[in-house]
PDB file of all heavy atoms in Angstrom:
ATOM      1  N   LEU U 118       0.826  -1.187   0.082  1.00 89.00           N
ATOM      2  CA  LEU U 118       0.114   0.024   0.026  1.00 89.00           C
ATOM      3  C   LEU U 118       0.836   1.206   0.005  1.00 89.00           C
ATOM      4  O   LEU U 118       0.543   2.174  -0.696  1.00 89.00           O
ATOM      5  CB  LEU U 118      -0.999   0.121   1.204  1.00 89.00           C
ATOM      6  CG  LEU U 118      -1.967   1.180   1.305  1.00 89.00           C
ATOM      7  CD1 LEU U 118      -2.760   1.351   0.034  1.00 89.00           C
ATOM      8  CD2 LEU U 118      -2.795   0.936   2.456  1.00 89.00           C
ATOM      9  N   ARG U 119       1.857   1.249   0.773  1.00 91.00           N
ATOM     10  CA  ARG U 119       2.837   2.400   0.876  1.00 91.00           C
ATOM     11  C   ARG U 119       3.363   2.476  -0.579  1.00 91.00           C
ATOM     12  O   ARG U 119       3.629   3.802  -1.081  1.00 91.00           O
ATOM     13  CB  ARG U 119       3.867   2.115   1.816  1.00 91.00           C
ATOM     14  CG  ARG U 119       4.958   3.261   1.784  1.00 91.00           C
ATOM     15  CD  ARG U 119       6.045   2.989   2.819  1.00 91.00           C
ATOM     16  NE  ARG U 119       5.553   3.425   4.093  1.00 91.00           N
ATOM     17  CZ  ARG U 119       6.236   3.705   5.132  1.00 91.00           C
ATOM     18  NH1 ARG U 119       7.576   3.589   5.068  1.00 91.00           N
ATOM     19  NH2 ARG U 119       5.687   3.974   6.285  1.00 91.00           N
ATOM     20  N   ALA U 120       3.899   1.420  -1.234  1.00 92.00           N
ATOM     21  CA  ALA U 120       4.419   1.563  -2.656  1.00 92.00           C
ATOM     22  C   ALA U 120       3.440   2.143  -3.534  1.00 92.00           C
ATOM     23  O   ALA U 120       3.780   2.952  -4.361  1.00 92.00           O
ATOM     24  CB  ALA U 120       4.849   0.099  -3.076  1.00 92.00           C
ATOM     25  N   ALA U 121       2.136   1.807  -3.467  1.00 92.00           N
ATOM     26  CA  ALA U 121       1.113   2.261  -4.335  1.00 92.00           C
ATOM     27  C   ALA U 121       0.883   3.802  -4.123  1.00 92.00           C
ATOM     28  O   ALA U 121       0.738   4.558  -5.006  1.00 92.00           O
ATOM     29  CB  ALA U 121      -0.193   1.469  -4.215  1.00 92.00           C
ATOM     30  N   LEU U 122       0.945   4.234  -2.815  1.00 91.00           N
ATOM     31  CA  LEU U 122       0.718   5.713  -2.522  1.00 91.00           C
ATOM     32  C   LEU U 122       1.837   6.476  -2.972  1.00 91.00           C
ATOM     33  O   LEU U 122       1.673   7.551  -3.532  1.00 91.00           O
ATOM     34  CB  LEU U 122       0.560   5.781  -1.003  1.00 91.00           C
ATOM     35  CG  LEU U 122      -0.850   5.338  -0.441  1.00 91.00           C
ATOM     36  CD1 LEU U 122      -0.853   5.288   1.046  1.00 91.00           C
ATOM     37  CD2 LEU U 122      -1.979   6.286  -0.797  1.00 91.00           C
ATOM     38  N   ASN U 123       3.055   5.802  -2.827  1.00 92.00           N
ATOM     39  CA  ASN U 123       4.207   6.693  -3.355  1.00 92.00           C
ATOM     40  C   ASN U 123       4.296   6.498  -4.816  1.00 92.00           C
ATOM     41  O   ASN U 123       4.719   7.565  -5.478  1.00 92.00           O
ATOM     42  CB  ASN U 123       5.633   6.024  -2.856  1.00 92.00           C
ATOM     43  CG  ASN U 123       5.808   6.249  -1.402  1.00 92.00           C
ATOM     44  OD1 ASN U 123       5.547   7.469  -0.908  1.00 92.00           O
ATOM     45  ND2 ASN U 123       6.453   5.418  -0.669  1.00 92.00           N
ATOM     46  N   GLY U 124       3.713   5.635  -5.493  1.00 93.00           N
ATOM     47  CA  GLY U 124       3.576   5.561  -6.919  1.00 93.00           C
ATOM     48  C   GLY U 124       2.605   6.557  -7.452  1.00 93.00           C
ATOM     49  O   GLY U 124       2.907   7.356  -8.475  1.00 93.00           O
ATOM     50  N   ILE U 125       1.509   6.803  -6.857  1.00 93.00           N
ATOM     51  CA  ILE U 125       0.576   7.739  -7.376  1.00 93.00           C
ATOM     52  C   ILE U 125       1.054   9.155  -7.027  1.00 93.00           C
ATOM     53  O   ILE U 125       0.827  10.116  -7.793  1.00 93.00           O
ATOM     54  CB  ILE U 125      -0.801   7.555  -6.836  1.00 93.00           C
ATOM     55  CG1 ILE U 125      -1.859   8.306  -7.603  1.00 93.00           C
ATOM     56  CG2 ILE U 125      -1.002   7.803  -5.432  1.00 93.00           C
ATOM     57  CD1 ILE U 125      -3.298   7.991  -7.396  1.00 93.00           C
ATOM     58  N   SER U 126       1.901   9.329  -5.950  1.00 92.00           N
ATOM     59  CA  SER U 126       2.549  10.466  -5.643  1.00 92.00           C
ATOM     60  C   SER U 126       3.332  11.045  -6.836  1.00 92.00           C
ATOM     61  O   SER U 126       3.411  12.069  -7.218  1.00 92.00           O
ATOM     62  CB  SER U 126       3.299  10.468  -4.326  1.00 92.00           C
ATOM     63  OG  SER U 126       4.028  11.651  -4.171  1.00 92.00           O
ATOM     64  N   LYS U 127       4.342  10.062  -7.240  1.00 95.00           N
ATOM     65  CA  LYS U 127       5.209  10.338  -8.399  1.00 95.00           C
ATOM     66  C   LYS U 127       4.367  10.598  -9.702  1.00 95.00           C
ATOM     67  O   LYS U 127       4.802  11.418 -10.481  1.00 95.00           O
ATOM     68  CB  LYS U 127       6.220   9.230  -8.538  1.00 95.00           C
ATOM     69  CG  LYS U 127       7.163   9.113  -7.352  1.00 95.00           C
ATOM     70  CD  LYS U 127       8.113   7.852  -7.560  1.00 95.00           C
ATOM     71  CE  LYS U 127       8.964   7.793  -6.335  1.00 95.00           C
ATOM     72  NZ  LYS U 127       9.397   6.549  -6.107  1.00 95.00           N
ATOM     73  N   GLU U 128       3.303   9.785  -9.824  1.00 95.00           N
ATOM     74  CA  GLU U 128       2.504   9.899 -11.011  1.00 95.00           C
ATOM     75  C   GLU U 128       1.830  11.325 -11.109  1.00 95.00           C
ATOM     76  O   GLU U 128       1.919  11.943 -12.129  1.00 95.00           O
ATOM     77  CB  GLU U 128       1.528   8.765 -11.057  1.00 95.00           C
ATOM     78  CG  GLU U 128       0.969   8.617 -12.603  1.00 95.00           C
ATOM     79  CD  GLU U 128       0.126   7.326 -12.526  1.00 95.00           C
ATOM     80  OE1 GLU U 128      -0.676   7.074 -11.830  1.00 95.00           O
ATOM     81  OE2 GLU U 128       0.507   6.464 -13.452  1.00 95.00           O
ATOM     82  N   THR U 129       1.207  11.728 -10.059  1.00 94.00           N
ATOM     83  CA  THR U 129       0.540  13.100 -10.066  1.00 94.00           C
ATOM     84  C   THR U 129       1.554  14.269 -10.319  1.00 94.00           C
ATOM     85  O   THR U 129       1.255  15.097 -11.139  1.00 94.00           O
ATOM     86  CB  THR U 129      -0.237  13.407  -8.757  1.00 94.00           C
ATOM     87  OG1 THR U 129       0.629  13.205  -7.647  1.00 94.00           O
ATOM     88  CG2 THR U 129      -1.401  12.423  -8.618  1.00 94.00           C
ATOM     89  N   HIS U 130       2.806  14.022  -9.819  1.00 94.00           N
ATOM     90  CA  HIS U 130       3.860  15.018 -10.093  1.00 94.00           C
ATOM     91  C   HIS U 130       4.236  14.948 -11.583  1.00 94.00           C
ATOM     92  O   HIS U 130       4.250  15.988 -12.202  1.00 94.00           O
ATOM     93  CB  HIS U 130       5.161  14.733  -9.279  1.00 94.00           C
ATOM     94  CG  HIS U 130       6.327  15.594  -9.574  1.00 94.00           C
ATOM     95  ND1 HIS U 130       6.386  16.892  -9.109  1.00 94.00           N
ATOM     96  CD2 HIS U 130       7.362  15.321 -10.206  1.00 94.00           C
ATOM     97  CE1 HIS U 130       7.435  17.406  -9.573  1.00 94.00           C
ATOM     98  NE2 HIS U 130       8.135  16.493 -10.258  1.00 94.00           N
ATOM     99  N   TYR U 131       4.358  13.751 -12.150  1.00 96.00           N
ATOM    100  CA  TYR U 131       4.734  13.590 -13.535  1.00 96.00           C
ATOM    101  C   TYR U 131       3.571  14.135 -14.354  1.00 96.00           C
ATOM    102  O   TYR U 131       3.793  14.853 -15.383  1.00 96.00           O
ATOM    103  CB  TYR U 131       4.851  12.076 -13.870  1.00 96.00           C
ATOM    104  CG  TYR U 131       5.121  11.971 -15.370  1.00 96.00           C
ATOM    105  CD1 TYR U 131       6.334  12.203 -15.933  1.00 96.00           C
ATOM    106  CD2 TYR U 131       3.929  11.476 -16.026  1.00 96.00           C
ATOM    107  CE1 TYR U 131       6.360  12.002 -17.357  1.00 96.00           C
ATOM    108  CE2 TYR U 131       4.003  11.120 -17.382  1.00 96.00           C
ATOM    109  CZ  TYR U 131       5.363  11.442 -18.043  1.00 96.00           C
ATOM    110  OH  TYR U 131       5.408  11.221 -19.338  1.00 96.00           O
ATOM    111  N   PHE U 132       2.300  13.890 -14.066  1.00 95.00           N
ATOM    112  CA  PHE U 132       1.177  14.408 -14.793  1.00 95.00           C
ATOM    113  C   PHE U 132       1.129  15.991 -14.859  1.00 95.00           C
ATOM    114  O   PHE U 132       0.918  16.585 -15.858  1.00 95.00           O
ATOM    115  CB  PHE U 132      -0.023  13.873 -14.231  1.00 95.00           C
ATOM    116  CG  PHE U 132      -0.367  12.457 -14.535  1.00 95.00           C
ATOM    117  CD1 PHE U 132      -1.393  11.752 -13.942  1.00 95.00           C
ATOM    118  CD2 PHE U 132       0.401  11.751 -15.412  1.00 95.00           C
ATOM    119  CE1 PHE U 132      -1.696  10.491 -14.123  1.00 95.00           C
ATOM    120  CE2 PHE U 132       0.156  10.384 -15.603  1.00 95.00           C
ATOM    121  CZ  PHE U 132      -0.834   9.823 -15.030  1.00 95.00           C
ATOM    122  N   ALA U 133       1.487  16.544 -13.615  1.00 94.00           N
ATOM    123  CA  ALA U 133       1.515  18.012 -13.661  1.00 94.00           C
ATOM    124  C   ALA U 133       2.656  18.641 -14.535  1.00 94.00           C
ATOM    125  O   ALA U 133       2.464  19.523 -15.219  1.00 94.00           O
ATOM    126  CB  ALA U 133       1.763  18.507 -12.066  1.00 94.00           C
ATOM    127  N   GLU U 134       3.810  17.908 -14.501  1.00 93.00           N
ATOM    128  CA  GLU U 134       4.883  18.447 -15.318  1.00 93.00           C
ATOM    129  C   GLU U 134       4.497  18.249 -16.844  1.00 93.00           C
ATOM    130  O   GLU U 134       4.862  18.988 -17.654  1.00 93.00           O
ATOM    131  CB  GLU U 134       6.200  17.656 -14.945  1.00 93.00           C
ATOM    132  CG  GLU U 134       6.660  18.051 -13.490  1.00 93.00           C
ATOM    133  CD  GLU U 134       7.018  19.624 -13.547  1.00 93.00           C
ATOM    134  OE1 GLU U 134       7.635  20.203 -14.438  1.00 93.00           O
ATOM    135  OE2 GLU U 134       6.611  20.246 -12.509  1.00 93.00           O
ATOM    136  N   GLU U 135       3.925  17.082 -17.217  1.00 95.00           N
ATOM    137  CA  GLU U 135       3.554  16.776 -18.539  1.00 95.00           C
ATOM    138  C   GLU U 135       2.623  17.834 -19.071  1.00 95.00           C
ATOM    139  O   GLU U 135       2.763  18.348 -20.134  1.00 95.00           O
ATOM    140  CB  GLU U 135       2.969  15.381 -18.526  1.00 95.00           C
ATOM    141  CG  GLU U 135       2.563  14.816 -19.917  1.00 95.00           C
ATOM    142  CD  GLU U 135       2.133  13.544 -19.912  1.00 95.00           C
ATOM    143  OE1 GLU U 135       1.325  13.202 -19.003  1.00 95.00           O
ATOM    144  OE2 GLU U 135       2.392  12.738 -20.955  1.00 95.00           O
ATOM    145  N   LEU U 136       1.636  18.129 -18.242  1.00 93.00           N
ATOM    146  CA  LEU U 136       0.551  19.157 -18.704  1.00 93.00           C
ATOM    147  C   LEU U 136       1.193  20.503 -18.843  1.00 93.00           C
ATOM    148  O   LEU U 136       0.927  21.260 -19.721  1.00 93.00           O
ATOM    149  CB  LEU U 136      -0.655  19.192 -17.670  1.00 93.00           C
ATOM    150  CG  LEU U 136      -1.632  18.079 -17.833  1.00 93.00           C
ATOM    151  CD1 LEU U 136      -2.646  18.099 -16.669  1.00 93.00           C
ATOM    152  CD2 LEU U 136      -2.341  18.077 -19.166  1.00 93.00           C
ATOM    153  N   LYS U 137       2.102  20.842 -17.921  1.00 91.00           N
ATOM    154  CA  LYS U 137       2.723  22.169 -17.855  1.00 91.00           C
ATOM    155  C   LYS U 137       3.581  22.326 -19.087  1.00 91.00           C
ATOM    156  O   LYS U 137       3.600  23.312 -19.800  1.00 91.00           O
ATOM    157  CB  LYS U 137       3.557  22.358 -16.594  1.00 91.00           C
ATOM    158  CG  LYS U 137       4.239  23.678 -16.443  1.00 91.00           C
ATOM    159  CD  LYS U 137       4.938  23.839 -15.108  1.00 91.00           C
ATOM    160  CE  LYS U 137       5.680  25.067 -15.000  1.00 91.00           C
ATOM    161  NZ  LYS U 137       6.347  25.257 -13.803  1.00 91.00           N
ATOM    162  N   GLN U 138       4.332  21.199 -19.472  1.00 92.00           N
ATOM    163  CA  GLN U 138       5.198  21.280 -20.681  1.00 92.00           C
ATOM    164  C   GLN U 138       4.309  21.336 -21.815  1.00 92.00           C
ATOM    165  O   GLN U 138       4.707  22.129 -22.826  1.00 92.00           O
ATOM    166  CB  GLN U 138       6.181  20.010 -20.720  1.00 92.00           C
ATOM    167  CG  GLN U 138       7.157  20.010 -19.638  1.00 92.00           C
ATOM    168  CD  GLN U 138       7.985  18.811 -19.726  1.00 92.00           C
ATOM    169  OE1 GLN U 138       7.719  17.896 -20.486  1.00 92.00           O
ATOM    170  NE2 GLN U 138       8.942  18.651 -18.807  1.00 92.00           N
ATOM    171  N   GLN U 139       3.236  20.691 -21.913  1.00 91.00           N
ATOM    172  CA  GLN U 139       2.401  20.690 -23.170  1.00 91.00           C
ATOM    173  C   GLN U 139       1.763  22.156 -23.257  1.00 91.00           C
ATOM    174  O   GLN U 139       1.768  22.594 -24.408  1.00 91.00           O
ATOM    175  CB  GLN U 139       1.234  19.682 -22.954  1.00 91.00           C
ATOM    176  CG  GLN U 139       0.378  19.561 -24.166  1.00 91.00           C
ATOM    177  CD  GLN U 139       1.100  18.835 -25.347  1.00 91.00           C
ATOM    178  OE1 GLN U 139       2.098  18.185 -25.238  1.00 91.00           O
ATOM    179  NE2 GLN U 139       0.479  19.153 -26.582  1.00 91.00           N
ATOM    180  N   LEU U 140       1.317  22.714 -22.197  1.00 90.00           N
ATOM    181  CA  LEU U 140       0.824  24.095 -22.234  1.00 90.00           C
ATOM    182  C   LEU U 140       1.849  25.058 -22.628  1.00 90.00           C
ATOM    183  O   LEU U 140       1.673  25.987 -23.526  1.00 90.00           O
ATOM    184  CB  LEU U 140       0.135  24.466 -20.934  1.00 90.00           C
ATOM    185  CG  LEU U 140      -1.085  23.793 -20.651  1.00 90.00           C
ATOM    186  CD1 LEU U 140      -1.534  23.992 -19.201  1.00 90.00           C
ATOM    187  CD2 LEU U 140      -2.180  24.298 -21.432  1.00 90.00           C
ATOM    188  N   CYS U 141       3.102  24.862 -22.247  1.00 89.00           N
ATOM    189  CA  CYS U 141       4.186  25.719 -22.579  1.00 89.00           C
ATOM    190  C   CYS U 141       4.466  25.567 -24.055  1.00 89.00           C
ATOM    191  O   CYS U 141       4.783  26.625 -24.765  1.00 89.00           O
ATOM    192  CB  CYS U 141       5.431  25.514 -21.808  1.00 89.00           C
ATOM    193  SG  CYS U 141       5.420  26.119 -20.111  1.00 89.00           S
ATOM    194  N   LYS U 142       4.405  24.321 -24.544  1.00 88.00           N
ATOM    195  CA  LYS U 142       4.692  24.117 -26.013  1.00 88.00           C
ATOM    196  C   LYS U 142       3.693  24.746 -26.876  1.00 88.00           C
ATOM    197  O   LYS U 142       4.019  25.142 -27.952  1.00 88.00           O
ATOM    198  CB  LYS U 142       4.742  22.528 -26.099  1.00 88.00           C
ATOM    199  CG  LYS U 142       5.064  22.014 -27.516  1.00 88.00           C
ATOM    200  CD  LYS U 142       5.062  20.545 -27.478  1.00 88.00           C
ATOM    201  CE  LYS U 142       4.841  19.977 -28.842  1.00 88.00           C
ATOM    202  NZ  LYS U 142       4.658  18.523 -28.945  1.00 88.00           N
ATOM    203  N   LEU U 143       2.492  24.846 -26.359  1.00 85.00           N
ATOM    204  CA  LEU U 143       1.406  25.460 -27.101  1.00 85.00           C
ATOM    205  C   LEU U 143       1.398  26.952 -27.042  1.00 85.00           C
ATOM    206  O   LEU U 143       0.614  27.679 -27.588  1.00 85.00           O
ATOM    207  CB  LEU U 143      -0.033  24.937 -26.710  1.00 85.00           C
ATOM    208  CG  LEU U 143      -0.161  23.374 -26.988  1.00 85.00           C
ATOM    209  CD1 LEU U 143      -1.427  22.829 -26.215  1.00 85.00           C
ATOM    210  CD2 LEU U 143      -0.187  23.194 -28.444  1.00 85.00           C
TER     211      LEU U 143
END
């Protein structure tokens, strides 16, 4: 469970960066 929570933590950070980069690119 800890691993899953840490995984979604990293994923939400990655998603924010991905969206931010896409918006900057546009």
Side-chain angles (χ1 to χ4, degrees):
L118 182 55
R119 178 181 280 200
L122 288 164
N123 284 327
I125 197 169
S126 169
K127 289 175 184 161
E128 198 165 59
T129 55
H130 174 75
Y131 172 77
F132 288 169
E134 290 302 313
E135 183 179 38
L136 285 174
K137 185 176 178 181
Q138 287 176 3
Q139 186 69 20
L140 288 168
C141 283
K142 182 178 161 185
L143 294 171

